[in-house]
Amino acid sequence: MMGETVKIRVDDRELEVQRGTLLIEACRAAGIEVPSFCYYPGLSLQAACRMCLVEIEKAPKLQTACTVPVTEGMIVRSNTEQVTQARRSMLEFLLGNHPLDCPVCDKGGECELQDMVFRYGASESRYGEAKRHVEEQQWSPVVYFDAPRCILCYRCVRVCDEGMGVGALSVVNRGVHTEIAPNHGDHLECEECGMCIDICPVGALTSGAYRYKARPWEMQYTSTICTHCGDGCKTTLSVRNNKILRGNNRDRSGINGEFLCIKGRYAYDFVEHPSRLRQPLIRRGRELVETTWEEAIGTVAAKWSEILARRNKAANNTLAETSEKRSEGFGVIGSNHTTNEENYLLQKFARTVLQTNHVDHHRTADYAALIHALANESAEQPSQAQRPPLARSKDIVGASAILLVGNNPTEQHPLIAWNIREACRLNGARLYIIHSRRIPLLRQSHRFLPLGLGHEADALRHLCGEPEATQALLGETPSGDNVTADLLNDFRNRLQEEKDVIVVFGDEITGPDVSLLIRMGSRLSGQTRYIALGDYSNSRGASDMGLLPHLLPGYRPVGDAAARAFFEDRWKSPIPATVGLSVDDMVAATLQGGMDALYVVGANPLKGRNPEDFCGKTFLVVQDLFLQETAQAADVVLPAASAYEKSGTVTNTCGELQRLRKAVGVLGTRTDLQIFASLAAAMGATLHPSQPEEALEEIRQMVPEYNIPLANVLAGGAEAVLNPNGFKPLAAPAETSGRVYSAQDTLFTSGTLGRFSNILNLVPERNIRKEPGPA
Amino acid sequence: MPVSEHEVRVLTKRFDLPNSASIDTYLAHDGYQAFEKALKQMTPESILEELKRSNLRGRGGAGFPTGMKWGFVPKESPKPKYIVCNADESEPGTCKDRLLMEKDPHQLIEGILIAGVVVGSHQGYIYVRGEYRYLLEILDRALEEAYARGYLGKNILGTGFDFELATHTGAGAYECGEESALLESLEGKRGIPRIRPPFPAVVGLYGGPTVLNNVETFSAVPAILREGGEWYAQLGTPRNGGTRLFVLSGHVNRPGVYELPMGFPLRKMIEEVGGGILGGKKFKAVIPGGSSTPVLTADALDTPMDFDSVAKAGSMLGSGAVIVMHEDTCMVKVALRLMQFYAHESCGWCIPCREGTDWLSKTLHRFHSGGAREEDIGLIEHLAKNMLGRTFCPLGDAAAMPVISFVKKFREEFEMHLSGRPCPFESKQEPATVSR
Amino acid sequence: MASILGGIVETVAALASGFKVTFRQMFRPTVTENYPDEAPNFQNRFRGLHVLQRDEAGLEKCVACFLCSAACPSNCIYIEAADNTAEQQISAGERYASVYNIDYNRCIFCGYCVEACPTDAITHGHEFELASYNVTDLIYRKERLLAQKTTTDQTAAGDPALSMPSGRNQSAS
């Protein structure tokens, strides 16, 4: 998109910039200082703060650099006496009614107004009148508003309306009494994302969670990846005395820019929840009692070794005791939140030490089917496309069209929703939605195809041109929309014309439907790219690392002898060849007494069931943060560290690898990686490697798709993994065993972690917010 | 309504007729003839020519040539074009548009219709000031009559020309008299000005090209088409065509709205039209064009009242509201009263206007009530100068300019307040009416 | 004889000259202070142990702005802040110091903290005896630093000697 450039002159420097660039951007890109409060890249123009006034030759008075596009031959001066005087006088005006309560104000030390006054003067006040005073207001558990501190830059109003699409803030009154006001009189009803607080240049909007806790220079900052949903936002945790005080991404690094939702910004507080497990528990009789790590590890290792020995003996005497009840041996259920390294080692531990393929996790998106379908597709028609078929999250912003099938990104994938809104708002992208409900993103949509629950596959068939499917879609939907043939054809025709589509889909499309989706995508005019939406921070990583009963790391089928041989050679241990049991199958088998031992890491497969029913049915070891249903039924419970307490890497739902960094430590817990190593050691087995860095190195050797340049990742950036462009089609098709379903978390829930986040439970929207149902 | 023998009654010629607001009276006195002529005999180009010949300049305050403004509207536009009449007359001292709407609403409707013909628009709005709500009744009745007689609606006069016209009231904000803020308000949003360019002629109401003029400007158009641009131009001075409704107020014996030719001498206006200074006192100062314009003193009394001459004298003709003040007037108090108005009416959008008007009104208040320090005079001047030319819209300038002129021309009165005692003029006057 | 007399005179003169300073000082006021038998006197500007002041209403002046700890060159001030609530108003501002420690192992009595304080909350008192056999005793908590609540306006009157830390006696024992 290189347009023609123009030459301008700023402070006697020749600049060559693209025509139409705003003067303020041109100056800043060249390192020429032009201050502003209200100008904010990506938000609509205001020209309200008048800080960016500059002299432009031939203009009779000072001009705002934020509204003037550059033109050929423009001569600008930003350092004259008149300009500096204007800046100083604007600050003097601002400070007139601004309370000088910096010692109390939370923003002190990182306040843009402080910085500006320091830089441009006006530190001596000639204001001798009474200052306007209004009492501070609390708008929600996390948002406080102090009106006199507000400088009315309208950033909060715009980011809420334009960026979030919520529009919960507005302006009331006029003149010096102008104030920002929330949408419900004296309180907010919104997504509680805290973007308004983050974007506020002064201390007018402050966070209820961080309120009066510390000063910015007193804290250590650790940038890591949010451990809630699958979008993988970077969040910078501010830590003082081993306590996380706040989360934000003020430096706008990472894939999310400055965006964070309520979970990324506030829901770190589960870390120090009082019911956090801080000591291993062991079952004595009916009770779970606290014990030492040594005893817990020893007990587990001894029991597992005993089972292993019994099974080996049984395997040698297969002919002798066939009458004995068949047992499935070990079952291992992994987590959606643990790191790639831990997931990789857990399945390695299960497949080599415990000799089982009963390895699974709660699958929330069918990544395996997507990878296989894309691989088969590229085998059939080798494409000329330059770009990988799996889109990264930022690619959405640049796409000219987006097709959303199912899911509700506003609730489940806030960053994806933010990117979609940005694409529509800034780049005029057209959003096509196929959905059974009226989701909030309809506000941005170009075309909407409403349908009945579970008819997503019919819609795909209709788009592929199958008339029977078209018939199935006609009529009134439960959401109250009338679907006509015209609507369906119009949707198909419009979509057909699109050149650059990114398809975003949720758990509505799984198994064979994914192939259908790829077939539909390949019929569109340009190259189509895909994003599958999985629920949690490392859902994608769990799939990639082979926490699946039928696939080894990198989606190599366990049934494929060559793939198995490759891993057996490196792991120096045989791997069982049969496809294992899924989570549901393992739970069912346990209930019937068919599992010798079950090892659950960071998951709660018994959610919603009665733990009593499972007590004593198997030797159950649970490794988790909290005593949830599964842990309550366990024989041994091992307290694990959360994602904010360890290092490693995670892969987000778009396949972007990012680095976790340890922010705090919780006494008594150990990381999952440490626990695996101690268990293996206690069983007399070696489980190498034991450090996250070494584990990542092994992953890179074993899974070629993870063998990507790491410099960016180590520096806190993201790198896309598993690019199936040129991915070799696999001999065996992907078996579809086990369910794939989303937990349908909302903005205010987050599986187990959400239950133990006080802030998520505190915001009233959690209960009053309703899905936009039928009109 | 007082009249004067100096008046040249073009826009106000029907004002004294009985039932002047009814369409029958209007039709009986040249009503809708200009519109019919424009629709049936003239082309948009020839109408524009006529307007340019008339030297008609916008009557809202800025005095931009109307013919040129209408010419800026693009001929082809993918979006509908609009005609918007700015009837948000809020400048202190001004009440001429009120009379034009009250006494002769059809003249306004006809002017709007002609604008519709010129730019090819089919929808118009009259944005009436919130405080003028009572005029709605008159205007709506006039619209009803015009619809009933076929001057509005579909296929007007059988020519196939469609035009719809509706009224809309503001909620009482001075700021909405600014054209882009008016458009925002008309669209149902908060009345704050827009970033310009683009100007309303290109991107205006709902993003469509929009002609936006003052009531008096539209009302002058029918007469121009009827009698010819040259006829109208010769009524005034060169480059300042026609007549103007001057609103004479303050310390004169006969305040009122007078239609006088452009270029009418200021001294004559005060002494003969206005009947001299109230109570036979000495003249002190005059604000020539509404509260936003700099004050003039006795040495400027011989200025002819047209846009260019008043500008030369250091002020602006503005909305034509002439506010006269006699010798007992405290200029600090005048400055304070005006600043309180602007502080109250500032929309709060940009920093210099929002904070500057508040600061100035607080300081002037302190000044007037005897709490002044010597450096405050400089401070007042400094603050006003910092606002001037740096605000988002002209409201900041409108607030700053008069204050600068008051300090410049009446510095000694400001110094008289430094004694630490309240205003020295207070004893000479009726009890203070300054309110917070 | 004369030589003897002359010798006496000379000796006396020499003694007088030698004791001139001594005798002169004998009739001047005593400068030496009998510390520790008597309490020492300090100039007002003496920088002794810190005192956290209270305002006229008896509320703590400190609003936990952290500026003292930021200004401290030896990094010896540790603060934790908290909200004032309607039920529990500790300071006049919106926040107060829930924890305020000064580590006198490290404090160099430079007075930067006093200079940095925007609310005149931290001042130097005249207490100076802080030797201890136990290093941890030298970390003074807020309770020991805080001025006593006074019914009269003694603290406001500005005599730092009157506003000894309340916990001083316990620490000496």
Side-chain angles (χ1 to χ4, degrees):
Chain A
M1 265 240 318
M2 272 303 281
E4 54 178 322
T5 59
V6 293
K7 282 204 174 69
I8 62 167
R9 208 174 167 78
V10 185
D11 299 340
D12 300 321
R13 273 178 65 189
E14 288 280 352
L15 303 180
E16 196 168 334
V17 279
Q18 208 148 76
R19 181 185 293 282
T21 314
L22 291 173
L23 182 55
I24 193 168
E25 284 294 334
C27 289
R28 285 180 177 181
I32 297 167
E33 224 174 67
V34 180
S36 75
F37 287 116
C38 72
Y39 174 74
Y40 201 85
L43 297 180
S44 63
L45 299 181
Q46 304 284 288
C49 75
R50 319 306 284 179
M51 282 301 292
C52 64
L53 290 172
V54 289
E55 271 179 42
I56 299 177
E57 203 147 278
K58 292 199 192 93
K61 47 188 189 184
L62 298 177
Q63 301 289 313
T64 46
C66 70
T67 56
V68 179
V70 292
T71 50
E72 183 66 49
M74 188 181 254
I75 299 178
V76 182
R77 283 187 196 86
S78 75
N79 53 6
T80 61
E81 179 53 37
Q82 194 190 6
V83 172
T84 41
Q85 196 275 334
R87 287 174 188 166
R88 199 165 52 234
S89 69
M90 286 315 139
L91 290 169
E92 192 179 8
F93 278 135
L94 266 186
L95 291 179
N97 274 311
H98 190 91
L100 298 178
D101 63 347
C102 306
V104 176
C105 177
D106 262 342
K107 201 75 176 181
E110 52 182 6
C111 170
E112 290 182 34
L113 182 60
Q114 273 185 338
D115 294 349
M116 293 258 204
V117 173
F118 192 75
R119 187 94 181 76
Y120 301 108
S123 51
E124 267 176 44
S125 180
R126 291 181 292 175
Y127 186 86
E129 322 300 330
K131 291 192 187 233
R132 202 175 84 86
H133 181 72
V134 180
E135 284 300 317
E136 189 176 33
Q137 301 155 36
Q138 184 179 12
W139 284 349
S140 88
V142 293
V143 183
Y144 281 74
F145 178 65
D146 193 340
R149 287 184 197 150
C150 176
I151 60 165
L152 291 165
C153 64
Y154 310 102
R155 283 189 199 172
C156 52
V157 177
R158 285 175 289 160
V159 80
C160 191
D161 183 26
E162 299 167 14
M164 295 305 298
V166 172
L169 296 171
S170 189
V171 187
V172 295
N173 301 337
R174 68 184 184 202
V176 78
H177 302 286
T178 311
E179 263 177 39
I180 306 296
N183 56 356
H184 281 254
D186 61 347
H187 69 281
L188 276 169
E189 272 175 31
C190 63
E191 294 183 1
E192 306 286 359
C193 64
M195 287 298 291
C196 51
I197 299 169
D198 205 26
I199 209 166
C200 183
V202 294
L205 286 160
T206 48
S207 153
Y210 170 66
R211 198 174 152 79
Y212 302 149
K213 289 261 167 67
R215 287 294 185 186
W217 64 81
E218 290 267 330
M219 298 185 288
Q220 282 86 48
Y221 297 91
T222 308
S223 54
T224 184
I225 306 303
C226 170
T227 186
H228 294 283
C229 86
D231 292 346
C233 292
K234 187 169 176 181
T235 175
T236 301
L237 300 173
S238 310
V239 181
R240 186 169 186 238
N241 288 340
N242 200 32
K243 228 175 114 121
I244 305 175
L245 297 182
R246 67 172 177 183
N248 64 16
N249 200 31
R250 204 61 218 125
D251 61 358
R252 301 215 239 171
S253 61
I255 55 168
N256 46 320
E258 65 209 304
F259 173 77
L260 276 179
C261 73
I262 179 170
K263 290 185 224 172
R265 202 179 299 281
Y266 300 114
Y268 48 74
D269 55 347
F270 65 85
V271 166
E272 51 177 28
H273 194 278
S275 37
R276 184 77 194 271
L277 292 169
R278 287 161 202 265
Q279 223 178 328
L281 304 176
I282 194 159
R283 188 167 293 279
R284 299 210 204 282
R286 294 184 54 82
E287 295 298 311
L288 275 171
V289 295
E290 289 186 350
T291 181
T292 61
W293 270 102
E294 287 69 28
E295 191 193 352
I297 296 281
T299 310
V300 175
K303 183 76 182 174
W304 282 357
S305 300
E306 178 203 319
I307 295 170
L308 211 53
R310 195 174 68 226
R311 285 185 62 79
N312 283 340
K313 204 169 132 200
N316 294 338
N317 307 336
T318 35
L319 295 172
E321 293 172 75
T322 39
S323 59
E324 195 189 306
K325 196 179 145 203
R326 205 179 103 77
S327 170
E328 298 287 353
F330 291 95
V332 174
I333 297 174
S335 168
N336 274 307
H337 291 285
T338 46
T339 64
N340 286 325
E341 292 77 6
E342 288 163 346
N343 291 343
Y344 174 82
L345 273 164
L346 177 60
Q347 62 85 33
K348 183 178 175 182
F349 180 63
R351 289 189 162 116
T352 60
V353 180
L354 301 181
Q355 279 296 310
T356 178
N357 267 332
H358 303 326
V359 183
D360 202 359
H361 69 286
H362 170 195
R363 285 175 255 166
T364 56
D366 209 341
Y367 300 114
L370 177 65
I371 301 292
H372 283 270
L374 282 172
N376 291 336
E377 146 93 6
S378 70
E380 278 169 30
Q381 353 173 290
S383 80
Q384 310 301 312
Q386 297 298 307
R387 292 177 303 186
L390 287 178
R392 300 179 58 168
S393 60
K394 204 74 195 169
D395 291 341
I396 294 175
V397 182
S400 63
I402 300 148
L403 171 64
L404 174 66
V405 188
N407 203 284
N408 180 4
T410 311
E411 294 281 342
Q412 293 171 263
H413 292 273
L415 175 63
I416 300 285
W418 165 273
N419 284 343
I420 290 176
R421 285 191 297 267
E422 214 158 76
C424 297
R425 180 166 55 92
L426 299 178
N427 299 333
R430 290 163 298 278
L431 173 63
Y432 296 81
I433 297 182
I434 298 176
H435 215 287
S436 55
R437 279 173 299 150
R438 296 185 146 267
I439 57 171
L441 275 177
L442 280 180
R443 232 182 108 177
Q444 277 77 25
S445 71
H446 178 63
R447 288 287 183 280
F448 174 42
L449 200 166
L451 36 74
L453 210 60
H455 280 279
E456 285 81 3
D458 285 333
L460 296 180
R461 281 191 203 96
H462 160 73
L463 294 178
C464 289
E466 293 178 24
E468 314 83 64
T470 314
Q471 284 302 316
L473 293 170
L474 290 172
E476 192 162 332
T477 67
S479 61
D481 295 286
N482 192 26
V483 182
T484 62
D486 283 348
L487 184 148
L488 291 172
N489 291 334
D490 174 60
F491 191 96
R492 182 170 59 198
N493 296 341
R494 294 278 176 170
L495 189 63
Q496 209 77 65
E497 288 163 16
E498 297 293 352
K499 296 270 179 296
D500 176 27
V501 183
I502 291 184
V503 180
V504 181
F505 64 100
D507 69 336
E508 288 83 350
I509 304 291
T510 57
D513 293 347
V514 179
S515 308
L516 186 62
L517 182 78
I518 306 299
R519 203 166 82 228
M520 187 279 299
S522 65
R523 293 165 58 95
L524 302 182
S525 313
Q527 193 206 350
T528 307
R529 292 176 288 172
Y530 302 89
I531 293 177
L533 297 177
D535 278 3
Y536 298 114
S537 60
N538 207 20
S539 287
R540 171 69 185 270
S543 265
D544 286 359
M545 290 301 111
L547 276 184
L548 292 166
H550 59 302
L551 294 172
L552 291 163
Y555 300 100
R556 270 50 170 191
V558 279
D560 180 22
R564 221 166 47 240
F566 174 74
F567 283 98
E568 283 173 340
D569 177 47
R570 296 299 192 85
W571 289 350
K572 301 196 173 43
S573 162
I575 302 170
T578 49
V579 170
L581 298 178
S582 69
V583 173
D584 291 345
D585 293 343
M586 282 188 256
V587 171
T590 305
L591 208 50
Q592 269 139 40
M595 301 297 296
D596 287 320
L598 197 57
Y599 182 26
V600 180
V601 178
N604 187 19
L606 305 188
K607 184 180 173 185
R609 295 172 185 250
N610 184 4
E612 296 282 316
D613 301 346
F614 291 84
C615 283
K617 298 276 180 165
T618 181
F619 181 68
L620 178 58
V621 179
V622 175
Q623 182 171 318
D624 206 350
L625 278 67
F626 298 101
L627 200 67
Q628 290 292 283
E629 288 91 335
T630 314
Q632 284 159 25
D635 296 283
V636 179
V637 181
L638 306 170
S642 79
Y644 295 146
E645 297 148 34
K646 60 191 171 195
S647 306
T649 62
V650 289
T651 312
N652 77 356
T653 194
C654 305
E656 288 163 300
L657 186 73
Q658 299 182 95
R659 184 180 174 203
L660 282 185
R661 299 206 306 167
K662 180 175 172 171
V664 291
V666 172
L667 206 65
T669 66
R670 291 186 185 178
T671 67
D672 296 282
L673 209 60
Q674 288 169 332
I675 301 174
F676 300 150
S678 345
L679 283 171
M683 288 174 76
T686 48
L687 183 69
H688 196 77
S690 57
Q691 294 300 315
E693 294 78 13
E694 292 170 296
L696 182 61
E697 207 38 54
E698 183 171 321
I699 293 170
R700 278 152 57 78
Q701 286 165 18
M702 304 302 289
V703 184
E705 293 75 17
Y706 268 66
N707 197 2
I708 50 169
L710 279 186
N712 194 13
V713 177
L714 294 176
E719 205 70 65
V721 298
L722 209 66
N723 163 14
N725 207 22
F727 192 96
K728 276 203 190 128
L730 302 164
E735 298 96 322
T736 51
S737 70
R739 281 193 298 156
V740 177
Y741 66 100
S742 160
Q744 304 287 344
D745 276 314
T746 69
L747 268 173
F748 310 106
T749 64
S750 178
T752 297
L753 297 182
R755 294 197 206 177
F756 294 94
S757 165
N758 286 333
I759 294 214
L760 287 185
N761 294 316
L762 208 60
V763 290
E765 286 87 348
R766 182 188 158 95
N767 300 321
I768 60 176
R769 206 178 152 96
K770 293 205 170 55
E771 283 288 314
Chain B
M1 181 184 147
V3 286
S4 160
E5 72 275 14
H6 295 290
E7 280 191 273
V8 178
R9 303 188 61 170
V10 178
L11 271 64
T12 58
K13 72 174 187 180
R14 282 172 290 263
F15 274 26
D16 300 333
L17 300 172
N19 242 345
S20 66
S22 89
I23 196 162
D24 292 319
T25 318
Y26 190 63
L27 285 172
H29 294 84
D30 310 331
Y32 290 109
Q33 283 177 9
F35 170 56
E36 223 172 316
K37 185 174 163 192
L39 201 53
K40 292 181 176 164
Q41 296 163 24
M42 298 175 81
T43 62
E45 289 75 27
S46 64
I47 301 173
L48 277 181
E49 265 319 297
E50 208 59 49
L51 279 175
K52 282 176 188 165
R53 262 200 292 278
S54 75
N55 281 339
L56 174 65
R57 292 171 69 168
R59 299 300 196 226
F64 196 81
T66 307
M68 211 195 277
K69 193 172 185 175
W70 292 11
F72 288 150
V73 176
K75 289 208 165 48
E76 301 298 325
S77 158
K79 290 201 166 179
K81 301 178 209 174
Y82 298 96
I83 311 292
V84 178
C85 172
N86 184 347
D88 191 85
E89 181 183 50
S90 344
E91 182 78 5
T94 318
C95 57
K96 60 190 176 64
D97 295 344
R98 186 182 87 188
L99 286 178
L100 285 168
M101 288 185 278
E102 193 179 323
K103 300 276 188 191
D104 204 351
H106 284 286
Q107 179 174 241
L108 171 62
I109 294 169
E110 189 177 357
I112 294 171
L113 275 166
I114 293 168
V117 173
V118 172
V119 301
S121 157
H122 306 288
Q123 177 70 57
Y125 294 99
I126 305 176
Y127 184 93
V128 184
R129 181 184 180 201
E131 290 87 339
Y132 280 178
R133 212 157 282 236
Y134 62 95
L135 288 178
L136 276 186
E137 208 177 299
I138 300 167
L139 283 172
D140 285 340
R141 196 183 315 124
L143 287 179
E144 230 169 78
E145 288 172 344
Y147 270 106
R149 301 294 175 95
Y151 290 106
L152 283 173
K154 299 264 178 253
N155 192 15
I156 297 169
L157 303 176
T159 56
F161 178 70
D162 303 335
F163 198 83
E164 308 286 337
L165 186 57
T167 54
H168 184 89
T169 49
Y174 175 69
E175 181 61 19
C176 291
E178 198 277 344
E179 56 178 15
S180 61
L182 184 149
L183 294 178
E184 288 280 300
S185 169
L186 193 53
E187 285 179 12
K189 301 177 201 155
R190 187 176 161 82
I192 40 169
R194 294 177 179 172
I195 294 170
R196 285 168 300 168
F199 290 93
V202 185
V203 181
L205 188 62
Y206 303 115
T210 304
V211 167
L212 216 161
N213 276 108
N214 180 257
V215 173
E216 192 184 346
T217 318
F218 279 124
S219 297
V221 174
I224 292 171
L225 290 202
R226 219 165 43 232
E227 311 284 345
E230 265 141 43
W231 167 81
Y232 187 79
Q234 57 82 28
L235 292 176
T237 56
R239 297 195 54 231
N240 290 273
T243 59
R244 172 117 221 220
L245 269 65
F246 286 99
V247 186
L248 200 51
S249 65
H251 299 142
V252 286
N253 284 314
R254 290 198 306 148
V257 179
Y258 300 97
E259 183 169 11
L260 300 169
M262 283 292 237
F264 196 83
L266 182 55
R267 186 187 300 276
K268 205 166 157 192
M269 195 185 292
I270 296 169
E271 285 171 6
E272 296 179 24
V273 179
I277 304 289
L278 199 64
K281 294 202 176 164
K282 244 176 80 188
F283 168 87
K284 186 186 219 168
V286 59
I287 296 174
S291 65
S292 311
T293 58
V295 68
L296 293 177
T297 48
D299 52 0
L301 273 179
D302 292 315
T303 311
M305 292 292 276
D306 63 48
F307 287 107
D308 304 319
S309 309
V310 179
K312 211 178 282 170
S315 187
M316 295 190 311
L317 190 58
S319 63
V322 180
I323 305 168
V324 182
M325 288 163 275
H326 66 43
E327 53 184 331
D328 288 349
T329 318
C330 171
M331 298 319 262
V332 176
K333 187 169 164 184
V334 176
L336 165 64
R337 183 65 195 85
L338 290 182
M339 196 45 69
Q340 282 176 342
F341 170 79
Y342 289 109
H344 180 64
E345 291 295 348
S346 165
C347 76
W349 183 250
C350 69
I351 293 169
C353 175
R354 177 180 75 231
E355 301 293 339
T357 52
D358 178 60
W359 191 342
L360 275 172
S361 94
K362 283 175 180 167
T363 305
L364 283 167
H365 186 81
R366 181 163 51 79
F367 213 102
H368 184 251
S369 47
R373 297 163 303 185
E374 199 165 347
E375 61 266 29
D376 284 337
I377 303 178
L379 178 65
I380 289 168
E381 211 175 359
H382 181 85
L383 290 177
K385 281 186 179 155
N386 279 341
M387 287 166 68
L388 192 68
R390 291 173 187 174
T391 53
F392 188 94
C393 79
L395 198 149
D397 296 346
M401 280 188 302
V403 174
I404 295 173
S405 73
F406 280 120
V407 177
K408 193 171 145 203
K409 293 178 181 161
F410 297 97
R411 199 179 187 94
E412 71 287 350
E413 285 198 22
F414 280 82
E415 281 161 1
M416 281 158 70
H417 282 76
L418 291 176
S419 58
R421 287 190 298 276
C423 180
F425 289 90
E426 211 76 320
S427 53
K428 301 182 186 172
Q429 277 177 341
E430 60 272 29
T433 49
V434 171
S435 61
R436 288 289 298 164
Chain C
M1 190 65 195
S3 67
I4 292 171
L5 279 176
I8 289 170
V9 170
E10 253 174 52
T11 307
V12 169
L15 277 175
S17 144
F19 280 108
K20 193 169 73 186
V21 173
T22 310
F23 289 134
R24 198 165 64 227
Q25 292 302 327
M26 275 174 75
F27 300 103
R28 288 195 169 178
T30 315
V31 176
T32 310
E33 295 181 359
N34 286 336
Y35 177 78
D37 295 335
E38 289 168 21
N41 288 317
F42 290 118
Q43 297 297 317
N44 271 338
R45 62 170 183 249
F46 176 75
R47 297 199 291 255
L49 266 182
H50 297 88
V51 179
L52 287 176
Q53 301 288 358
R54 294 178 184 274
D55 63 11
E56 296 81 347
L59 295 172
E60 289 170 20
K61 278 188 173 179
C62 177
V63 292
C65 73
F66 288 72
L67 285 183
C68 47
S69 77
C72 181
S74 58
N75 212 0
C76 67
I77 305 179
Y78 175 83
I79 306 173
E80 278 177 24
D83 283 38
N84 279 312
T85 56
E87 300 82 52
Q88 199 191 24
Q89 183 83 19
I90 307 283
S91 78
E94 285 151 350
R95 56 197 263 171
Y96 71 98
S98 56
V99 174
Y100 193 110
N101 297 345
I102 297 181
D103 182 354
Y104 283 106
N105 291 296
R106 304 172 70 169
C107 179
I108 57 169
F109 297 91
C110 65
Y112 282 9
C113 49
V114 177
E115 232 167 276
C117 184
T119 59
D120 292 335
I122 184 163
T123 57
H124 277 296
H126 287 177
E127 184 57 42
F128 67 101
E129 297 158 306
L130 27 73
S132 166
Y133 286 109
N134 192 340
V135 180
T136 53
D137 278 352
L138 286 175
I139 298 170
Y140 278 45
R141 293 179 165 279
K142 190 173 97 171
E143 296 71 39
R144 285 173 80 180
L145 295 167
L146 208 53
Q148 274 173 325
K149 270 191 186 170
T150 45
T151 41
T152 60
D153 247 0
Q154 281 167 321
T155 38
D159 188 349
L162 287 171
S163 48
M164 290 290 181
S166 55
R168 209 217 135 231
N169 290 335
Q170 293 122 38
S171 73
S173 62

